[in-house]
Amino acid sequence: QVQLVESGGGLVQAGGSLRLSCAASGRTFSSYVMGWFRQGPGKEREFVASISRSGGNTGYADSVKGRFTISRDNAKNTVYLQMNSLKPEDTAVYYCAARDVYDSKWDYWGQGTQVTVSS
């Protein structure tokens, strides 16, 4: 099992930046693929970004590509999401998630952190 706790959300003006962090505890952090998801008001939860166990491979939703960067520090058991050029449509609760590399299902979720982008 792994426990995930997000932080770093807040209110920012359009065009601004935020960095989200997700601290993991429990089983070996480096054994998990990590991801970020978000759920906007009245919307379904959607994939934002993912990163491989070593950090060598990343993937992004088209809506954030070129603006967001996912990274991880296995020594600190933490995954980050650097968000630049934020838009009002990025407003959402952002969730950190973890899955086993051999499993397509995201098994572990954090409680979420609110990001609000004002126009």
Side-chain angles (χ1 to χ4, degrees):
Q1 289 246 347
V2 62
Q3 293 77 44
L4 304 172
V5 178
E6 302 96 335
S7 61
L11 174 63
V12 63
Q13 288 189 334
S17 298
L18 279 176
R19 188 176 82 154
L20 305 183
S21 299
C22 173
S25 61
R27 286 183 57 190
T28 306
F29 174 72
S30 59
S31 68
Y32 290 98
V33 176
M34 300 300 297
W36 287 95
F37 291 76
R38 67 186 182 186
Q39 186 166 16
K43 299 180 181 180
E44 293 188 354
R45 187 170 59 194
E46 63 177 357
F47 167 80
V48 174
S50 64
I51 189 166
S52 63
R53 293 176 296 174
S54 67
N57 291 297
T58 58
Y60 298 92
D62 288 344
S63 59
V64 307
K65 203 171 292 183
R67 300 188 298 122
F68 290 11
T69 302
I70 188 171
S71 61
R72 69 191 294 165
D73 186 336
N74 287 341
K76 295 183 178 180
N77 286 4
T78 303
V79 62
Y80 305 97
L81 186 68
Q82 178 66 44
M83 305 185 294
N84 298 330
S85 302
L86 282 161
K87 305 174 181 180
E89 51 264 44
D90 294 318
T91 294
V93 177
Y94 283 71
Y95 297 92
C96 174
R99 66 172 177 84
D100 189 279
V101 67
Y102 302 110
D103 191 353
S104 61
K105 180 175 176 291
W106 296 88
D107 292 312
Y108 305 103
W109 294 86
Q111 82 289 349
T113 186
Q114 176 71 47
V115 171
T116 303
V117 184
S118 63
S119 55

